[in-house]
Amino acid sequence: MAKKRTIRSIPQERTRAREQDPHERAKNFAEVTCAFSAEDALRESERCLFCPDPACVEGCPVGIDIPGFIRKIGEQDFRAAYDVIAKLKTNIPLPLHLHSHCTAGLAPMTYMMAIEAGADILDTALSPLAQGASQPATEAFVAALMGTPHDTGLDLGLLGEIAQYFYGVRRKYAEFESAVSNQIKPDALVSQIPGGMLSNLVAQLRHAKAEDKLEAVLAEMPKVRADLGYPPLVTPTSQIVGSQAALNVMTGKRYSAVYTETTNYVMGLYGEPPAPISDEVKKKALGNKKPITCRPADLLEPGLEAARREIGSLARSEEDVLSYALFPEVAKEYFIAREAGEARR
């Protein structure tokens, strides 16, 4: 008879997610996914189920049965664990909204699984503007879901007419086409470059008439990311990495010019990076200045009351004041246009 497991016999150290050696990470974008193997998941599920103080249960604002989910993992019933997650939708009053780019071609499959799990809203694009760095095609999902409980009710014929119009619009702007506009690029699974980041990078290079340097910039990006302490490739740090890599390639001399946002990042204004920043980059970006060691927001002066005074009567609500505080020029221009429009009526 197997000996009963108790809290004393369960390892109390958390199972760490797998990661590459830092020297290897400096050479590639092939990030090891931050997920457990089956063995890791089983080991961590035991530790979780024997937790003496499961704060996750009472602290969950939407009543998720976290131990139930973990228990299914412990039983090696991974599909049932998915089913538990799908059932959570009945406990969450808010609609579930999913957004994905189609860069690697996997978004349609992700969307179908999300539909099965209870997703309410999917971001799609009409076929002339879909795929690649954009979203999956609207028409494909309307057709796939037709006659199912998830039928959208949209008319494929009408969508086809709209699509034909936008095919014409796309031809009109053909000069702005790029290598990533609609192409499926499975190599993004290796590079880990997000679709939005890739399309912005191409736009930057085209503006500088240097689109032919795309491959060189993509090769430079992992080096810049390593120099900057491996910031996550999400906005805004992904744009910082991409922009600095492009600048390094176009100038022909690494960090001979440094973007303002790169300097702010090295200064610590985006928080502490996951790994140390290269001393050479620190020197080139900051000179004799020292990075901050406090929370970046602690350096900000309270601005709400100042914004309220500045915008004055143009603001009609707290939302207007907040809009002005966040986007002063755009908000003020809108408020003035709003006043002018009402005056004309």
Side-chain angles (χ1 to χ4, degrees):
M1 183 176 177
K3 185 178 178 181
K4 184 178 180 182
R5 301 299 295 259
T6 68
I7 189 171
R8 293 182 182 279
S9 62
I10 301 294
Q12 294 304 297
E13 291 295 321
R14 293 189 65 175
T15 303
R16 293 178 60 84
R18 294 164 293 159
E19 58 185 23
Q20 289 190 97
D21 180 272
H23 294 96
E24 289 302 311
R25 292 181 71 189
K27 302 174 187 175
N28 64 57
F29 273 111
E31 295 284 84
V32 176
T33 181
C34 293
F36 293 147
S37 65
E39 292 78 13
D40 293 336
L42 292 173
R43 190 182 310 113
E44 188 67 3
S45 70
E46 280 194 322
R47 195 184 70 83
C48 175
L49 290 175
F50 279 94
C51 176
D53 183 24
C56 62
V57 178
E58 293 184 3
C60 181
V62 290
I64 294 177
D65 180 18
I66 296 174
F69 171 67
I70 297 297
R71 192 171 294 110
K72 291 297 182 183
I73 293 177
E75 295 168 359
Q76 301 192 50
D77 190 351
F78 297 108
R79 176 67 199 192
Y82 163 81
D83 291 338
V84 170
I85 291 294
K87 290 175 184 175
L88 297 178
K89 191 65 183 66
T90 61
N91 296 326
I92 301 175
L94 300 175
L96 182 62
H97 186 152
L98 181 62
H99 172 94
S100 180
H101 295 267
C102 208
T103 316
L106 297 181
M109 288 166 272
T110 302
Y111 276 15
M112 291 306 293
M113 288 299 290
I115 291 169
E116 287 187 25
D120 298 286
I121 306 167
L122 302 176
D123 282 350
T124 60
L126 282 170
S127 53
L129 308 174
Q131 308 290 45
S134 182
Q135 283 74 51
T138 303
E139 299 95 314
F141 277 90
V142 170
L145 299 175
M146 200 170 287
T148 74
H150 307 290
D151 195 322
T152 65
L154 297 176
D155 188 321
L156 272 176
L158 292 178
L159 288 174
E161 292 179 23
I162 299 171
Q164 284 303 315
Y165 170 80
F166 280 104
Y167 275 118
V169 172
R170 181 159 193 152
R171 284 192 292 272
K172 180 180 178 181
Y173 294 96
E175 64 181 289
F176 299 105
E177 289 284 7
S178 76
V180 302
S181 295
N182 282 79
Q183 293 182 13
I184 302 295
K185 295 178 69 66
D187 56 347
L189 296 172
V190 177
S191 70
Q192 299 289 300
I193 297 175
M197 178 182 181
L198 191 59
S199 55
N200 284 345
L201 185 60
V202 170
Q204 278 184 298
L205 293 174
R206 178 186 290 119
H207 183 72
K209 301 188 185 306
E211 200 169 350
D212 60 314
K213 292 183 168 57
L214 176 61
E215 293 304 319
V217 173
L218 293 178
E220 173 68 5
M221 282 177 58
K223 301 173 186 175
V224 171
R225 190 176 181 220
D227 291 341
L228 296 180
Y230 297 101
L233 292 181
V234 294
T235 303
T237 49
S238 62
Q239 307 303 333
I240 294 173
V241 171
S243 297
Q244 189 60 54
L247 195 58
N248 287 354
V249 168
M250 288 190 290
T251 58
K253 189 174 181 181
R254 303 186 78 230
Y255 302 106
S256 60
V258 179
Y259 272 114
T260 300
E261 292 310 313
T262 304
T263 299
N264 289 340
Y265 172 86
V266 176
M267 179 61 75
L269 298 182
Y270 286 87
E272 185 178 351
I277 296 174
S278 157
D279 290 335
E280 180 185 358
V281 172
K282 281 184 182 179
K283 185 174 181 180
K284 289 184 176 179
L286 302 182
N288 295 323
K289 296 179 182 178
K290 297 293 183 184
I292 66 171
T293 56
C294 63
R295 178 173 171 268
D298 292 342
L299 302 176
L300 299 175
E301 294 292 332
L304 185 60
E305 292 307 316
R308 195 188 309 279
R309 289 192 299 271
E310 288 173 11
I311 196 61
S313 60
L314 286 175
R316 301 177 182 177
S317 65
E318 283 296 293
E319 287 80 2
D320 284 355
V321 175
L322 289 172
S323 295
Y324 176 74
L326 292 169
F327 312 105
E329 294 181 6
V330 175
K332 187 173 183 179
E333 183 179 347
Y334 167 73
F335 297 153
I336 291 173
R338 181 174 64 185
E339 296 272 331
E342 292 178 356
R344 283 196 296 272
R345 287 200 294 268

mmCIF file with all atom_site columns, all heavy atoms in Angstrom, residues 4 36 67 70 85 91 97 168 173 200 202 214 222 261 267:
data_model
loop_
_atom_site.group_PDB
_atom_site.id
_atom_site.type_symbol
_atom_site.label_atom_id
_atom_site.label_alt_id
_atom_site.label_comp_id
_atom_site.label_asym_id
_atom_site.label_entity_id
_atom_site.label_seq_id
_atom_site.pdbx_PDB_ins_code
_atom_site.Cartn_x
_atom_site.Cartn_y
_atom_site.Cartn_z
_atom_site.occupancy
_atom_site.B_iso_or_equiv
_atom_site.pdbx_formal_charge
_atom_site.auth_seq_id
_atom_site.auth_comp_id
_atom_site.auth_asym_id
_atom_site.auth_atom_id
_atom_site.pdbx_PDB_model_num
ATOM 1   N N   . LYS A 1 4   ? 0.699   7.371  2.335   1.00 0.00 ? 4   LYS A N   1
ATOM 2   C CA  . LYS A 1 4   ? -0.098  8.576  2.120   1.00 0.00 ? 4   LYS A CA  1
ATOM 3   C C   . LYS A 1 4   ? 0.792   9.814  2.150   1.00 0.00 ? 4   LYS A C   1
ATOM 4   O O   . LYS A 1 4   ? 1.628   9.973  3.034   1.00 0.00 ? 4   LYS A O   1
ATOM 5   C CB  . LYS A 1 4   ? -1.181  8.687  3.206   1.00 0.00 ? 4   LYS A CB  1
ATOM 6   C CG  . LYS A 1 4   ? -2.107  9.880  2.993   1.00 0.00 ? 4   LYS A CG  1
ATOM 7   C CD  . LYS A 1 4   ? -3.177  9.910  4.064   1.00 0.00 ? 4   LYS A CD  1
ATOM 8   C CE  . LYS A 1 4   ? -4.105  11.102 3.845   1.00 0.00 ? 4   LYS A CE  1
ATOM 9   N NZ  . LYS A 1 4   ? -5.136  11.182 4.889   1.00 0.00 ? 4   LYS A NZ  1
ATOM 10  N N   . PHE A 1 36  ? 5.102   24.588 -17.520 1.00 0.00 ? 36  PHE A N   1
ATOM 11  C CA  . PHE A 1 36  ? 5.655   23.377 -16.943 1.00 0.00 ? 36  PHE A CA  1
ATOM 12  C C   . PHE A 1 36  ? 5.547   22.205 -17.910 1.00 0.00 ? 36  PHE A C   1
ATOM 13  O O   . PHE A 1 36  ? 4.633   22.129 -18.725 1.00 0.00 ? 36  PHE A O   1
ATOM 14  C CB  . PHE A 1 36  ? 4.889   23.008 -15.673 1.00 0.00 ? 36  PHE A CB  1
ATOM 15  C CG  . PHE A 1 36  ? 5.078   23.978 -14.542 1.00 0.00 ? 36  PHE A CG  1
ATOM 16  C CD1 . PHE A 1 36  ? 4.035   24.223 -13.652 1.00 0.00 ? 36  PHE A CD1 1
ATOM 17  C CD2 . PHE A 1 36  ? 6.273   24.637 -14.346 1.00 0.00 ? 36  PHE A CD2 1
ATOM 18  C CE1 . PHE A 1 36  ? 4.196   25.100 -12.599 1.00 0.00 ? 36  PHE A CE1 1
ATOM 19  C CE2 . PHE A 1 36  ? 6.444   25.524 -13.302 1.00 0.00 ? 36  PHE A CE2 1
ATOM 20  C CZ  . PHE A 1 36  ? 5.406   25.751 -12.423 1.00 0.00 ? 36  PHE A CZ  1
ATOM 21  N N   . PRO A 1 67  ? -8.377  25.014 -6.647  1.00 0.00 ? 67  PRO A N   1
ATOM 22  C CA  . PRO A 1 67  ? -7.974  23.660 -6.238  1.00 0.00 ? 67  PRO A CA  1
ATOM 23  C C   . PRO A 1 67  ? -8.573  22.582 -7.129  1.00 0.00 ? 67  PRO A C   1
ATOM 24  O O   . PRO A 1 67  ? -7.935  21.562 -7.390  1.00 0.00 ? 67  PRO A O   1
ATOM 25  C CB  . PRO A 1 67  ? -8.505  23.558 -4.800  1.00 0.00 ? 67  PRO A CB  1
ATOM 26  C CG  . PRO A 1 67  ? -8.557  24.965 -4.319  1.00 0.00 ? 67  PRO A CG  1
ATOM 27  C CD  . PRO A 1 67  ? -8.967  25.760 -5.520  1.00 0.00 ? 67  PRO A CD  1
ATOM 28  N N   . ILE A 1 70  ? -6.407  22.410 -10.160 1.00 0.00 ? 70  ILE A N   1
ATOM 29  C CA  . ILE A 1 70  ? -5.116  21.795 -9.833  1.00 0.00 ? 70  ILE A CA  1
ATOM 30  C C   . ILE A 1 70  ? -5.284  20.301 -9.589  1.00 0.00 ? 70  ILE A C   1
ATOM 31  O O   . ILE A 1 70  ? -4.441  19.477 -9.973  1.00 0.00 ? 70  ILE A O   1
ATOM 32  C CB  . ILE A 1 70  ? -4.497  22.481 -8.596  1.00 0.00 ? 70  ILE A CB  1
ATOM 33  C CG1 . ILE A 1 70  ? -4.211  23.963 -8.885  1.00 0.00 ? 70  ILE A CG1 1
ATOM 34  C CG2 . ILE A 1 70  ? -3.228  21.767 -8.158  1.00 0.00 ? 70  ILE A CG2 1
ATOM 35  C CD1 . ILE A 1 70  ? -3.196  24.197 -9.973  1.00 0.00 ? 70  ILE A CD1 1
ATOM 36  N N   . ILE A 1 85  ? -11.709 24.984 -16.643 1.00 0.00 ? 85  ILE A N   1
ATOM 37  C CA  . ILE A 1 85  ? -11.525 26.376 -17.034 1.00 0.00 ? 85  ILE A CA  1
ATOM 38  C C   . ILE A 1 85  ? -12.715 26.860 -17.865 1.00 0.00 ? 85  ILE A C   1
ATOM 39  O O   . ILE A 1 85  ? -13.218 27.969 -17.694 1.00 0.00 ? 85  ILE A O   1
ATOM 40  C CB  . ILE A 1 85  ? -10.221 26.540 -17.832 1.00 0.00 ? 85  ILE A CB  1
ATOM 41  C CG1 . ILE A 1 85  ? -9.010  26.319 -16.922 1.00 0.00 ? 85  ILE A CG1 1
ATOM 42  C CG2 . ILE A 1 85  ? -10.136 27.898 -18.488 1.00 0.00 ? 85  ILE A CG2 1
ATOM 43  C CD1 . ILE A 1 85  ? -8.848  27.352 -15.849 1.00 0.00 ? 85  ILE A CD1 1
ATOM 44  N N   . ASN A 1 91  ? -19.307 31.513 -14.114 1.00 0.00 ? 91  ASN A N   1
ATOM 45  C CA  . ASN A 1 91  ? -19.162 32.272 -12.866 1.00 0.00 ? 91  ASN A CA  1
ATOM 46  C C   . ASN A 1 91  ? -18.691 33.696 -13.090 1.00 0.00 ? 91  ASN A C   1
ATOM 47  O O   . ASN A 1 91  ? -18.586 34.471 -12.146 1.00 0.00 ? 91  ASN A O   1
ATOM 48  C CB  . ASN A 1 91  ? -18.164 31.564 -11.938 1.00 0.00 ? 91  ASN A CB  1
ATOM 49  C CG  . ASN A 1 91  ? -18.656 30.207 -11.492 1.00 0.00 ? 91  ASN A CG  1
ATOM 50  O OD1 . ASN A 1 91  ? -19.844 30.016 -11.311 1.00 0.00 ? 91  ASN A OD1 1
ATOM 51  N ND2 . ASN A 1 91  ? -17.745 29.264 -11.340 1.00 0.00 ? 91  ASN A ND2 1
ATOM 52  N N   . HIS A 1 97  ? -13.172 38.542 -24.067 1.00 0.00 ? 97  HIS A N   1
ATOM 53  C CA  . HIS A 1 97  ? -12.791 39.141 -25.343 1.00 0.00 ? 97  HIS A CA  1
ATOM 54  C C   . HIS A 1 97  ? -11.368 38.707 -25.668 1.00 0.00 ? 97  HIS A C   1
ATOM 55  O O   . HIS A 1 97  ? -10.459 38.906 -24.876 1.00 0.00 ? 97  HIS A O   1
ATOM 56  C CB  . HIS A 1 97  ? -12.876 40.665 -25.212 1.00 0.00 ? 97  HIS A CB  1
ATOM 57  C CG  . HIS A 1 97  ? -12.656 41.407 -26.485 1.00 0.00 ? 97  HIS A CG  1
ATOM 58  N ND1 . HIS A 1 97  ? -13.227 42.643 -26.716 1.00 0.00 ? 97  HIS A ND1 1
ATOM 59  C CD2 . HIS A 1 97  ? -11.929 41.134 -27.597 1.00 0.00 ? 97  HIS A CD2 1
ATOM 60  C CE1 . HIS A 1 97  ? -12.867 43.078 -27.907 1.00 0.00 ? 97  HIS A CE1 1
ATOM 61  N NE2 . HIS A 1 97  ? -12.061 42.173 -28.464 1.00 0.00 ? 97  HIS A NE2 1
ATOM 62  N N   . GLY A 1 168 ? -10.238 46.909 -53.334 1.00 0.00 ? 168 GLY A N   1
ATOM 63  C CA  . GLY A 1 168 ? -9.933  48.089 -54.143 1.00 0.00 ? 168 GLY A CA  1
ATOM 64  C C   . GLY A 1 168 ? -9.150  49.126 -53.364 1.00 0.00 ? 168 GLY A C   1
ATOM 65  O O   . GLY A 1 168 ? -8.203  49.731 -53.874 1.00 0.00 ? 168 GLY A O   1
ATOM 66  N N   . TYR A 1 173 ? -3.504  51.656 -52.088 1.00 0.00 ? 173 TYR A N   1
ATOM 67  C CA  . TYR A 1 173 ? -2.373  51.917 -51.194 1.00 0.00 ? 173 TYR A CA  1
ATOM 68  C C   . TYR A 1 173 ? -1.280  50.854 -51.336 1.00 0.00 ? 173 TYR A C   1
ATOM 69  O O   . TYR A 1 173 ? -0.553  50.560 -50.396 1.00 0.00 ? 173 TYR A O   1
ATOM 70  C CB  . TYR A 1 173 ? -2.861  51.984 -49.744 1.00 0.00 ? 173 TYR A CB  1
ATOM 71  C CG  . TYR A 1 173 ? -3.770  53.172 -49.479 1.00 0.00 ? 173 TYR A CG  1
ATOM 72  C CD1 . TYR A 1 173 ? -5.159  53.041 -49.525 1.00 0.00 ? 173 TYR A CD1 1
ATOM 73  C CD2 . TYR A 1 173 ? -3.233  54.433 -49.230 1.00 0.00 ? 173 TYR A CD2 1
ATOM 74  C CE1 . TYR A 1 173 ? -5.991  54.129 -49.307 1.00 0.00 ? 173 TYR A CE1 1
ATOM 75  C CE2 . TYR A 1 173 ? -4.051  55.525 -49.017 1.00 0.00 ? 173 TYR A CE2 1
ATOM 76  C CZ  . TYR A 1 173 ? -5.435  55.370 -49.052 1.00 0.00 ? 173 TYR A CZ  1
ATOM 77  O OH  . TYR A 1 173 ? -6.244  56.459 -48.844 1.00 0.00 ? 173 TYR A OH  1
ATOM 78  N N   . ASN A 1 200 ? 5.125   47.512 -37.105 1.00 0.00 ? 200 ASN A N   1
ATOM 79  C CA  . ASN A 1 200 ? 5.651   48.841 -36.778 1.00 0.00 ? 200 ASN A CA  1
ATOM 80  C C   . ASN A 1 200 ? 7.102   48.983 -37.231 1.00 0.00 ? 200 ASN A C   1
ATOM 81  O O   . ASN A 1 200 ? 7.520   50.040 -37.703 1.00 0.00 ? 200 ASN A O   1
ATOM 82  C CB  . ASN A 1 200 ? 5.566   49.093 -35.276 1.00 0.00 ? 200 ASN A CB  1
ATOM 83  C CG  . ASN A 1 200 ? 4.157   49.404 -34.827 1.00 0.00 ? 200 ASN A CG  1
ATOM 84  O OD1 . ASN A 1 200 ? 3.292   49.702 -35.644 1.00 0.00 ? 200 ASN A OD1 1
ATOM 85  N ND2 . ASN A 1 200 ? 3.915   49.329 -33.535 1.00 0.00 ? 200 ASN A ND2 1
ATOM 86  N N   . VAL A 1 202 ? 8.579   47.417 -39.735 1.00 0.00 ? 202 VAL A N   1
ATOM 87  C CA  . VAL A 1 202 ? 8.609   47.578 -41.194 1.00 0.00 ? 202 VAL A CA  1
ATOM 88  C C   . VAL A 1 202 ? 8.226   49.003 -41.572 1.00 0.00 ? 202 VAL A C   1
ATOM 89  O O   . VAL A 1 202 ? 8.835   49.612 -42.462 1.00 0.00 ? 202 VAL A O   1
ATOM 90  C CB  . VAL A 1 202 ? 7.661   46.559 -41.866 1.00 0.00 ? 202 VAL A CB  1
ATOM 91  C CG1 . VAL A 1 202 ? 7.488   46.874 -43.350 1.00 0.00 ? 202 VAL A CG1 1
ATOM 92  C CG2 . VAL A 1 202 ? 8.196   45.150 -41.693 1.00 0.00 ? 202 VAL A CG2 1
ATOM 93  N N   . LEU A 1 214 ? 15.595  44.951 -43.234 1.00 0.00 ? 214 LEU A N   1
ATOM 94  C CA  . LEU A 1 214 ? 14.750  44.266 -42.255 1.00 0.00 ? 214 LEU A CA  1
ATOM 95  C C   . LEU A 1 214 ? 15.448  43.059 -41.633 1.00 0.00 ? 214 LEU A C   1
ATOM 96  O O   . LEU A 1 214 ? 15.448  42.899 -40.412 1.00 0.00 ? 214 LEU A O   1
ATOM 97  C CB  . LEU A 1 214 ? 13.435  43.829 -42.911 1.00 0.00 ? 214 LEU A CB  1
ATOM 98  C CG  . LEU A 1 214 ? 12.489  43.011 -42.015 1.00 0.00 ? 214 LEU A CG  1
ATOM 99  C CD1 . LEU A 1 214 ? 12.059  43.827 -40.797 1.00 0.00 ? 214 LEU A CD1 1
ATOM 100 C CD2 . LEU A 1 214 ? 11.268  42.550 -42.796 1.00 0.00 ? 214 LEU A CD2 1
ATOM 101 N N   . PRO A 1 222 ? 17.906  40.511 -31.048 1.00 0.00 ? 222 PRO A N   1
ATOM 102 C CA  . PRO A 1 222 ? 18.247  39.726 -29.857 1.00 0.00 ? 222 PRO A CA  1
ATOM 103 C C   . PRO A 1 222 ? 19.475  40.249 -29.136 1.00 0.00 ? 222 PRO A C   1
ATOM 104 O O   . PRO A 1 222 ? 19.586  40.122 -27.910 1.00 0.00 ? 222 PRO A O   1
ATOM 105 C CB  . PRO A 1 222 ? 18.484  38.317 -30.416 1.00 0.00 ? 222 PRO A CB  1
ATOM 106 C CG  . PRO A 1 222 ? 18.662  38.475 -31.875 1.00 0.00 ? 222 PRO A CG  1
ATOM 107 C CD  . PRO A 1 222 ? 17.894  39.681 -32.262 1.00 0.00 ? 222 PRO A CD  1
ATOM 108 N N   . GLU A 1 261 ? 13.727  57.105 -25.626 1.00 0.00 ? 261 GLU A N   1
ATOM 109 C CA  . GLU A 1 261 ? 13.033  56.080 -24.838 1.00 0.00 ? 261 GLU A CA  1
ATOM 110 C C   . GLU A 1 261 ? 13.995  54.984 -24.377 1.00 0.00 ? 261 GLU A C   1
ATOM 111 O O   . GLU A 1 261 ? 13.796  54.384 -23.320 1.00 0.00 ? 261 GLU A O   1
ATOM 112 C CB  . GLU A 1 261 ? 11.868  55.480 -25.635 1.00 0.00 ? 261 GLU A CB  1
ATOM 113 C CG  . GLU A 1 261 ? 10.727  56.449 -25.871 1.00 0.00 ? 261 GLU A CG  1
ATOM 114 C CD  . GLU A 1 261 ? 10.274  57.134 -24.600 1.00 0.00 ? 261 GLU A CD  1
ATOM 115 O OE1 . GLU A 1 261 ? 10.082  56.444 -23.577 1.00 0.00 ? 261 GLU A OE1 1
ATOM 116 O OE2 . GLU A 1 261 ? 10.132  58.369 -24.611 1.00 0.00 ? 261 GLU A OE2 1
ATOM 117 N N   . MET A 1 267 ? 17.602  54.357 -17.711 1.00 0.00 ? 267 MET A N   1
ATOM 118 C CA  . MET A 1 267 ? 17.544  55.157 -16.483 1.00 0.00 ? 267 MET A CA  1
ATOM 119 C C   . MET A 1 267 ? 16.680  54.485 -15.420 1.00 0.00 ? 267 MET A C   1
ATOM 120 O O   . MET A 1 267 ? 16.812  54.773 -14.225 1.00 0.00 ? 267 MET A O   1
ATOM 121 C CB  . MET A 1 267 ? 16.995  56.560 -16.814 1.00 0.00 ? 267 MET A CB  1
ATOM 122 C CG  . MET A 1 267 ? 16.853  57.487 -15.618 1.00 0.00 ? 267 MET A CG  1
ATOM 123 S SD  . MET A 1 267 ? 18.410  57.838 -14.778 1.00 0.00 ? 267 MET A SD  1
ATOM 124 C CE  . MET A 1 267 ? 19.164  58.990 -15.917 1.00 0.00 ? 267 MET A CE  1
#
